[in-house]
Amino acid sequence: MQEISKTYNAADWEDRLYKQWEESGYFNPDNLIEDGVIAPDAEPFSIVLPPPNVTGNLHIGHASMLAIEDIMVRYNRMQGKRTLWLPGADHAAIATQSKVEGILHKETGLTKHDLGREAFLKKVEDFAQSSHDTIAHQVRKMGSSIDWSREAYTLDENRNLSVRKAFKQMYDDGIIYRGDRIVNWDPKMQTTVSDDEIERKEEKTKFYYFQYGPFVISTARPETKFGDKHVVVHPSDNRYKQYAHGQQIELEWINGPITATILKDEAIDMEFGSGAMTITPWHDAIDFDIAQRHGLSKEQIIDFDGKLLPIAREFAGMDIHEAREKIVEKLQAKSLVVKIEDDYIHNIAINSRGGGIIEPQIKRQWFIDVNKTFVRDGKEVSLKQLMQTAVRSGGVEIIPERFKRTYFHWIDNLRDWCISRQIWYGHRIPVWYRGEEIYCGTKAPEGAGWEQDSDTLDTWFSSGLWTFSTLGWGFDEEKWQREKIYHPTSVLETGYDILFFWVARMILMSEYFLGEVPFKKAYLHGLVRDEQGRKMSKSLGNIIDPLDIIPEHGADALRLSLVIGSTPGNDIKLGAEKIVSFHNFTNKLWNIGRYVMTQSEATDTAPKAITAADHFICLRLDSVVNEVTRHLEQYNFSIAGETLRDFTWNEFADWYVEIHKIQKNDAVLRYVFETLLKLWHPFMPFVTEALWRQLRGEGVPLLMIEKWPKDIAHTTHFSGDIAAGFGHGTQPLITAVRNIRATYHIDPVKKVTITLIAPDSDFLTSQVGIIQKLARVEAIHILKEGADAPSQCAYVLIRDIKLYVHLEGILDVEKEKIRLQKELEQTKNYTLRIETQLGNQNFVSQAPEAIILKNKEELKKAQNKAKEIESHLANLL
RNA sequence: GGAUGAUUAGCUCAGUUGGUUAGAGCACCUCGUUUACACCGAGGGGGUCACUGGUUCGAGUCCAGUAUCAUCCACCA
């Protein structure tokens, strides 16, 4: 037996073990089949890694995502499924370009235009590559059992082919169109931004009231008002009923007299300001809609750099922020200013991807029409409807369910998706122009003189295809045919913050191109926050970097602290203390292992005899196996982990191991511990694998591919009557039946049979109907007092009625044991037999007192009075 | 303005279709170093489950309202 360190030193093991796993090839399901670890026709289980942006390092949120996904993947692999976890990275077009522009400017003072498209793109690619390498390293550090052989990038050659195929198909179907529409223009980054990428920030500003002919209009942005020649009021606003819709008036405005037209439109809020407003259709989405409704012309006031156009006359060429005060001065000189408020709170729109203040502009862009209908399975549907149906029908189950509402609400308000961006880093739009000719295809058209559209696609267009573009769709038909067994993927695990950006768009794309959902379940995890619940950010200095934690505490401790205490859709708070406590736990497990190793040999598989304590721990283990399995199936990772921790520490280590010191049963000790290692493996892959190798020797198969424990080695038989001890004489019958149901975990839908023994049968007869209905009782037998109690029953006393519930075959062993413990002193007329199968032998125990011995009290005695306990236990055999 | 969630021990949180005396980890107090572990063990204190009503034999759990906090969506020209 080799010397084993007293404490677990994660750093000594982790890299070595990861290398061993990787070299085994078992992260790749093909190898699992080839080596006979799983059956060739095994059920697939697949997850795509939400591709991290190549904008830098992974943060703690990524670590949490990796931990949860690795639990699912390792668990399902051990369940014998054909398990694939497919990695990749996202080019994050606008975010990455913006980041590199920033670095470039800081380091050299140059802009991307100084370098030119090609040279700048080279820089971005270099940056992306180095980010990618960092990320891949970090993903490994977390212990992620990912199939690196299938790694993909949203902007690599293959994905480009998928994107082109997708674009062309949508273009040919008329789903993608080009149009002049109002878009969110970022003058700083010189690109459009989608509605979802906009962040709003409160700003205190001045608010101006101007005289506009007979009307008073208000605005926070006087600089947009040059071209306003329509004043709009609500149709039912009595203040303006003397004016007719379409009526023209002459008035004095910023640059002289103009003719304005009065419009009546219900979009106006009568309560706000004077209830009258002028519109600037080119620079405001609502004004644009009003103008569209009334067929008005639109005029651009501000150029794409944020400067005023010639319509502003002497202000032309001026930056809009500078111009504002000057325009107001001019209006003041003309006595057109009615009032100026100073503390007006108003929201400004900002490009959340590191850009500037959004200026709405009308621009020719590419859009995906979400409302256009097409024929699918003989029915007219739109993309919106496809997205709705996928979730409504249960094809995609969202966990937690409440996000369904958010999802539907978002779709209801969804407008056409602007997919073109005026940035360089991304998939070029596969459209070519030659004069008036336009060509869309997966390859450049033949012939000279064609020029490709200079815009690129929104990054979410390519990530929307991710579940199938990674499996060969669009670039390798043979691969796709082979691998589409993994589609739809089993589950998508990602943050709720990208429900709209990504989750919804994947559903859109997959439904459109494949006619199926991209994943069967969407598990949405929360954000990781600091101890005080604040977002982690550089400026607050509260960032926990996974790479700082892992060397000191180990990846396992980090994983546990991110999983335990975390429920889907809720943010989790993480502090150093929590990590330390799980570090202590990994060490605890390590030391239990040390004890097991010094006490037993790998050959200890069959026990010579079984004591009551052995039975008890085996029974408990079985119940833990069942609970943990159930929780994992239901995505309750936190509860699964807690159940395991409580059992491992409080029952196995503190109780059974102590008993083992007095009364050794090495086979049972080993059996329980090795089963625990398997159960813990998905949560803590490193320390469990390290212990496994030490317990079994280096040459053995990896714990990673061991079979998940599920064998129920224990059966229980109860016979005789069991007294139920609640609410004697105080509660009505229904309550009693419900109590028994709850106590024995009887399925509420399941009907039971009850027997009542009472002196007053008339009273009972009158109650039969209601009891049957409310307590879901199949049959009620009423017996006269003095009749014999039926067997296989629990009974309860209610006043002077004895109620018996027939329990054959539906007793819950756990609950029953606990209850038995309490009832022990009062009732003696039962027997309890437990059979335990270990190694090919059956062991039978008929010693109920031992099963219900008061664990820790007995243990204390055992420690203090070893002799006494020894004889006590000996008597039980 | 609309929506969603949270409110349980000093702190962080469990509590899954309503059911015996509301749990855990950390922190705190007492005792103990007995060969797996002091990164430990034994024991203990501490909760009007935010508030007010309602439904029920029974409510932390279900319903209505209130308060505080958080997040998302829409935004007023």
Side-chain angles (χ1 to χ4, degrees):
Chain A
M1 181 65 52
Q2 68 188 96
E3 202 56 41
I4 309 150
S5 66
K6 256 180 133 169
T7 51
Y8 171 60
N9 225 327
D12 296 345
W13 289 92
E14 294 188 348
D15 289 345
R16 185 157 72 82
L17 288 173
Y18 194 87
K19 203 168 155 233
Q20 246 177 313
W21 290 330
E22 211 175 339
E23 283 170 358
S24 76
Y26 293 141
F27 290 168
N28 180 343
D30 299 342
N31 296 330
L32 289 172
I33 293 176
E34 198 171 310
D35 289 4
V37 177
I38 59 165
D41 59 348
E43 186 191 337
F45 180 87
S46 55
I47 298 190
V48 290
L49 175 74
N53 291 352
V54 289
T55 45
N57 297 339
L58 294 192
H59 50 70
I60 196 79
H62 290 112
S64 135
M65 166 184 95
L66 290 166
I68 295 170
E69 288 174 22
D70 198 40
I71 288 173
M72 298 190 212
V73 167
R74 285 182 188 268
Y75 165 70
N76 280 286
R77 189 183 292 119
M78 290 174 82
Q79 281 285 16
K81 291 194 188 158
R82 181 172 178 172
T83 305
L84 171 65
W85 188 9
L86 202 151
D90 192 314
H91 67 289
I94 191 166
T96 309
Q97 171 163 332
S98 153
K99 181 124 190 172
V100 176
E101 275 184 65
I103 294 170
L104 181 70
H105 187 77
K106 203 172 162 192
E107 285 175 356
T108 64
L110 298 176
T111 69
K112 62 175 186 281
H113 298 285
D114 297 330
L115 291 187
R117 187 163 188 150
E118 213 166 301
F120 178 74
L121 278 179
K122 179 77 177 65
K123 275 226 171 296
V124 180
E125 276 154 21
D126 289 346
F127 176 83
Q129 183 60 48
S130 103
S131 283
H132 161 269
D133 296 347
T134 313
I135 289 166
H137 172 71
Q138 288 170 309
V139 171
R140 285 182 163 85
K141 278 284 182 188
M142 284 297 292
S144 322
S145 57
I146 273 192
D147 183 5
W148 293 103
S149 73
R150 283 180 168 83
E151 195 180 0
Y153 184 47
T154 55
L155 192 58
D156 62 17
E157 238 170 83
N158 287 337
R159 259 45 63 180
N160 187 245
L161 291 169
S162 309
V163 163
R164 287 177 179 219
K165 174 179 169 150
F167 188 99
K168 180 174 162 48
Q169 194 172 323
M170 283 184 148
Y171 178 87
D172 291 344
D173 293 349
I175 296 292
I176 286 182
Y177 70 94
R178 196 157 73 126
D180 295 308
R181 280 246 329 252
I182 192 145
V183 293
N184 307 300
W185 178 257
D186 175 1
K188 185 179 155 203
M189 291 204 61
Q190 292 286 304
T191 182
T192 53
V193 178
S194 75
D195 292 345
D196 300 305
E197 282 166 322
I198 286 182
E199 241 167 43
R200 285 173 198 275
K201 220 170 83 180
E202 271 196 356
E203 197 189 52
K204 203 183 263 183
T205 180
K206 287 185 178 165
F207 195 59
Y208 307 91
Y209 292 83
F210 298 137
Q211 197 67 45
Y212 190 80
F215 300 94
V216 172
I217 59 142
S218 47
T219 182
R221 302 197 57 197
E223 66 275 13
T224 63
K225 297 281 146 198
F226 290 100
D228 290 11
K229 13 175 230 210
H230 296 91
V231 60
V232 194
V233 296
H234 197 276
S236 48
D237 194 331
N238 287 329
R239 288 171 292 181
Y240 304 114
K241 63 181 175 198
Q242 70 268 34
Y243 300 104
H245 178 77
Q247 185 182 338
Q248 299 205 318
I249 50 171
E250 302 294 324
L251 60 94
E252 181 64 22
W253 195 224
I254 310 171
N255 289 328
I258 60 163
T259 303
T261 308
I262 296 163
L263 294 177
K264 303 216 165 181
D265 193 287
E266 303 202 334
I268 298 299
D269 177 3
M270 287 190 281
E271 305 296 312
F272 189 84
S274 61
M277 76 169 192
T278 60
I279 56 168
T280 315
W282 199 284
H283 298 292
D284 186 286
I286 291 186
D287 296 2
F288 178 88
D289 288 343
I290 294 173
Q292 287 289 82
R293 269 201 291 281
H294 299 286
L296 311 179
S297 66
K298 307 169 191 86
E299 195 167 5
Q300 188 173 10
I301 314 294
I302 301 163
D303 72 8
F304 294 110
D305 293 321
K307 294 195 165 44
L308 288 165
L309 288 164
I311 186 173
R313 300 246 188 102
E314 73 258 37
F315 303 103
M318 207 180 274
D319 187 275
I320 50 173
H321 302 100
E322 281 172 48
R324 184 176 298 173
E325 284 297 319
K326 296 192 170 122
I327 294 162
V328 175
E329 276 168 34
K330 181 167 181 188
L331 284 164
Q332 226 145 12
K334 300 176 89 167
S335 302
L336 291 175
V337 177
V338 179
K339 188 168 68 166
I340 300 176
E341 282 172 7
D342 279 330
D343 294 334
Y344 182 68
I345 306 284
H346 127 125
N347 288 316
I348 53 169
I350 293 170
N351 174 4
S352 64
R353 307 293 171 205
I357 298 171
I358 296 300
E359 182 64 65
Q361 292 275 10
I362 295 176
K363 237 184 167 287
R364 175 159 289 197
Q365 297 289 338
W366 289 97
F367 294 92
I368 286 183
D369 192 328
V370 292
N371 292 309
K372 187 188 164 90
T373 57
F374 48 91
V375 177
R376 174 60 60 87
D377 298 333
K379 271 201 247 164
E380 288 261 313
V381 289
S382 67
L383 287 176
K384 260 193 185 182
Q385 287 164 337
L386 282 184
M387 291 163 88
Q388 283 162 333
T389 313
V391 173
R392 192 162 285 136
S393 69
V396 173
E397 185 192 335
I398 298 181
I399 307 169
E401 209 178 346
R402 67 185 143 92
F403 280 97
K404 270 163 89 169
R405 289 183 66 119
T406 325
Y407 176 83
F408 288 127
H409 185 253
W410 178 79
I411 292 178
D412 290 343
N413 295 311
L414 186 63
R415 299 200 286 181
D416 286 357
W417 173 16
C418 176
I419 52 170
S420 47
R421 297 288 182 273
Q422 291 66 52
I423 57 169
W424 293 345
Y425 192 55
H427 292 282
R428 275 293 267 283
I429 287 176
V431 169
W432 286 262
Y433 309 97
R434 184 166 68 185
E436 291 302 300
E437 287 178 274
I438 178 163
Y439 173 87
C440 174
T442 54
K443 284 184 197 140
E446 303 281 321
W450 288 97
E451 194 154 331
Q452 190 172 5
D453 196 305
S454 63
D455 286 0
T456 53
L457 283 167
D458 180 9
T459 188
W460 300 106
F461 188 95
S462 51
S463 26
L465 308 170
W466 192 241
T467 55
F468 49 102
S469 71
T470 47
L471 295 174
W473 187 87
F475 64 88
D476 185 341
E477 186 55 26
E478 203 184 310
K479 180 181 165 73
W480 170 238
Q481 287 307 323
R482 204 169 56 238
E483 305 232 311
K484 72 179 181 189
I485 184 171
Y486 297 112
H487 204 277
T489 58
S490 309
V491 52
L492 177 81
E493 195 280 337
T494 192
Y496 63 77
D497 51 330
I498 53 172
L499 178 64
F500 307 138
F501 288 127
W502 194 41
V503 178
R505 271 153 195 167
M506 285 170 93
I507 295 174
L508 184 159
M509 292 294 196
S510 182
E511 282 289 348
Y512 186 73
F513 291 110
L514 306 178
E516 65 182 28
V517 296
F519 31 78
K520 293 169 196 151
K521 293 186 162 71
Y523 177 101
L524 303 172
H525 64 241
L527 271 37
V528 182
R529 294 167 179 278
D530 75 358
E531 285 160 298
Q532 291 156 50
R534 301 174 304 180
K535 261 190 175 164
M536 291 192 184
S537 72
K538 272 183 194 158
S539 54
L540 283 171
N542 58 353
I543 289 184
I544 297 180
D545 184 344
L547 286 191
D548 291 341
I549 302 297
I550 291 171
E552 194 187 342
H553 299 291
D556 292 329
L558 178 61
R559 288 166 63 119
L560 280 187
S561 42
L562 288 167
V563 168
I564 293 184
S566 148
T567 46
N570 294 324
D571 295 349
I572 62 162
K573 290 176 192 163
L574 180 69
E577 251 177 36
K578 192 173 178 188
I579 298 169
V580 169
S581 78
F582 284 111
H583 180 175
N584 292 349
F585 179 70
T586 56
N587 195 55
K588 184 75 186 177
L589 191 70
W590 178 259
N591 272 293
I592 299 170
R594 249 164 51 99
Y595 179 80
V596 173
M597 266 174 260
T598 57
Q599 295 294 322
S600 67
E601 299 294 331
T603 48
D604 289 331
T605 50
K608 293 183 185 68
I610 289 277
T611 68
D614 298 329
H615 272 302
F616 184 81
I617 201 72
C618 288
L619 259 177
R620 283 290 300 130
L621 178 68
D622 255 4
S623 138
V624 166
V625 167
N626 289 333
E627 273 180 60
V628 169
T629 307
R630 197 180 77 237
H631 290 315
L632 287 177
E633 291 290 342
Q634 294 172 353
Y635 301 89
N636 291 325
F637 306 111
S638 180
I639 302 179
E642 282 173 72
T643 306
L644 265 177
R645 183 194 51 191
D646 293 347
F647 177 75
T648 307
W649 204 319
N650 301 334
E651 295 189 57
F652 184 61
D654 291 350
W655 181 73
Y656 184 75
V657 167
E658 294 303 323
I659 284 191
H660 180 271
K661 289 175 184 171
I662 298 160
Q663 172 134 4
K664 299 207 187 305
N665 194 333
D666 301 345
V668 173
L669 182 75
R670 217 163 230 273
Y671 164 74
V672 176
F673 186 66
E674 290 190 352
T675 307
L676 274 181
L677 286 185
K678 292 178 195 171
L679 295 173
W680 270 121
H681 182 71
F683 296 85
M684 303 199 287
F686 289 114
V687 69
T688 49
E689 187 77 71
L691 284 164
W692 186 256
R693 311 211 71 65
Q694 303 216 54
L695 270 173
R696 291 261 178 124
E698 275 295 331
V700 299
L702 295 164
L703 176 58
M704 185 181 101
I705 55 164
E706 280 290 319
K707 287 281 164 288
W708 185 257
K710 68 173 172 196
D711 48 323
I712 306 301
H714 319 285
T715 52
T716 55
H717 305 278
F718 290 86
S719 58
D721 298 341
I722 298 154
F726 11 50
H728 296 281
T730 57
Q731 291 175 327
L733 293 166
I734 297 162
T735 307
V737 176
R738 287 184 181 175
N739 278 344
I740 291 176
R741 270 185 190 286
T743 307
Y744 295 103
H745 282 274
I746 299 167
D747 185 337
V749 187
K750 184 167 183 166
K751 294 193 168 177
V752 298
T753 301
I754 66 173
T755 302
L756 305 169
I757 301 180
D760 179 5
S761 57
D762 285 344
F763 165 73
L764 286 172
T765 311
S766 70
Q767 299 297 307
V768 162
I770 190 82
I771 296 171
Q772 279 187 320
K773 191 176 164 200
L774 293 180
R776 288 197 163 268
V777 171
E778 179 76 48
I780 299 182
H781 307 295
I782 300 172
L783 303 176
K784 284 214 175 103
E785 194 169 37
D788 286 337
S791 63
Q792 292 279 350
C793 281
Y795 79 81
V796 61
L797 284 165
I798 307 136
R799 297 189 187 94
D800 45 2
I801 302 164
K802 278 182 185 162
L803 181 145
Y804 289 84
V805 177
H806 298 252
L807 289 170
E808 197 162 6
I810 47 177
L811 277 173
D812 179 282
V813 178
E814 269 323 294
K815 280 279 180 183
E816 192 50 30
K817 272 209 308 288
I818 294 160
R819 231 177 48 69
L820 282 175
Q821 188 172 338
K822 287 185 176 171
E823 298 298 323
L824 180 61
E825 295 85 355
Q826 303 160 19
T827 320
K828 291 291 180 192
N829 59 337
Y830 61 84
T831 56
L832 173 64
R833 196 172 100 244
I834 300 175
E835 291 178 11
T836 297
Q837 190 183 358
L838 275 174
N840 296 322
Q841 297 178 60
N842 267 315
F843 295 88
V844 179
S845 156
Q846 291 205 352
E849 292 87 352
I851 304 307
I852 55 170
L853 53 86
K854 294 136 200 157
N855 312 342
K856 291 186 177 175
E857 285 145 56
E858 291 296 332
L859 172 63
K860 194 178 174 186
K861 278 185 213 159
Q863 286 173 321
N864 296 338
K865 304 175 191 173
K867 261 188 187 172
E868 194 182 318
I869 287 294
E870 256 182 86
S871 68
H872 175 67
L873 286 169
N875 288 338
L876 298 176
L877 274 172

